[in-house]
Amino acid sequence: MTDRERYRPFTGDSETRVRLQTAPLELVLFQLRWPELAYLQSENLTPIAQAFGVTLSEYPLYSSTPEMTFSVGPTGVQQHEVGTVHQWSSIDRKRHVSLGKTFLSIYTQDYPGWPDFAEHLRAVLDLLQANVDIRYVERVGVRYLNRIADPELMGRLGEFVTPQVLGYQSLPTPASADVVLLQNLNQAQFSVGGGILQVRSGVMAPGTTLDPSVAPVSGPSWILDIDAMIEVNAAFDLEEVLAQAGRMSDAAYDFFKFIIKTGFIEQFGTRTPDADSDPA
């Protein structure tokens, strides 16, 4: 992964990296999706998942949750249980592997940087290939979820990112102190090199969160959620999956660098011309 040419679709800058020692990064997630496979239906998945889980020595904690889908009908939105999601976690509960009948996800709340994370992906995907026998894949995705909750930093967001990312937060201050922006989510979608880059940013109301894996906070917070994915639709090739994941990580990083200001770097880290880096 370190020998490949890095992908910079927004800035075109492959030299200057941003190293953030105190990045406000809450979650980094990788997901691999495949079509419905006959032998991975609900009645068959549990023993396969158990055999897979035995090999995940770094993830000794186990749990399972129902996998739900939603449909809209004459009586409104209906929930339907379509299977079980099996999840394994590290002892400190900061790293997780989840397996459903059409996906594998690997996420961490203690991100070491892309090179180390990619090597971890390689190890888990190798075990997946050996124990679950996924022969065909549809999609590869990488997601970075940032959150700022410190009230002092919330008041300085204009120093950190471009006004377009702030949305309604960039409006002039209302004349009355009774006017408080409770929630503001901006969403954009870009086509990037055959993949899709989805971005959500804005203020979250107290007690709310964008992802159930990230606990809500008691006060308002600001989020920057960058989700890059690519449709693969090919036989499962471990090296190709890792290459596509690296390409999507690069696209997410490049967008992040595209929209942050110098104030973000000064607050959370330093600029280093020769360091390998990733989205905050």
Side-chain angles (χ1 to χ4, degrees), residues 15 44 68 103 110 145 154-155 170 177-178 190 205 211 223 259:
E15 297 300 324
N44 298 326
M68 309 299 294
F103 73 92
D110 186 16
L145 177 59
M154 288 279 291
S170 61
D178 293 335
F190 301 88
D211 191 287
I223 61 95
I259 58 94

Side-chain angles (χ1 to χ4, degrees), residues 177-210:
D178 293 335
V179 179
V180 178
L181 179 63
L182 295 178
Q183 188 151 309
N184 161 47
L185 283 179
N186 313 307
Q187 185 164 323
Q189 187 176 92
F190 301 88
S191 174
V192 179
I196 296 293
L197 184 77
Q198 294 185 150
V199 182
R200 290 184 292 178
S201 63
V203 170
M204 298 293 295
T208 62
T209 180
L210 271 186

Side-chain angles (χ1 to χ4, degrees), residues 102-174:
T102 59
F103 73 92
L104 173 88
S105 65
I106 304 169
Y107 71 91
T108 181
Q109 294 166 305
D110 186 16
Y111 185 59
W114 180 256
D116 288 342
F117 188 59
E119 286 307 307
H120 187 63
L121 296 184
R122 178 188 296 278
V124 175
L125 290 174
D126 191 49
L127 294 173
L128 177 76
Q129 195 170 36
N131 292 276
V132 187
D133 191 24
I134 304 301
R135 301 179 184 181
Y136 187 85
V137 296
E138 290 184 325
R139 180 186 297 172
V140 175
V142 180
R143 180 184 177 199
Y144 293 85
L145 177 59
N146 299 267
R147 178 169 64 183
I148 294 174
D150 182 284
E152 191 271 331
L153 298 182
M154 288 279 291
R156 296 170 49 205
L157 292 173
E159 302 173 24
F160 301 152
V161 295
T162 60
Q164 294 88 339
V165 179
L166 291 177
Y168 286 103
Q169 291 165 273
S170 61
L171 289 173
T173 303

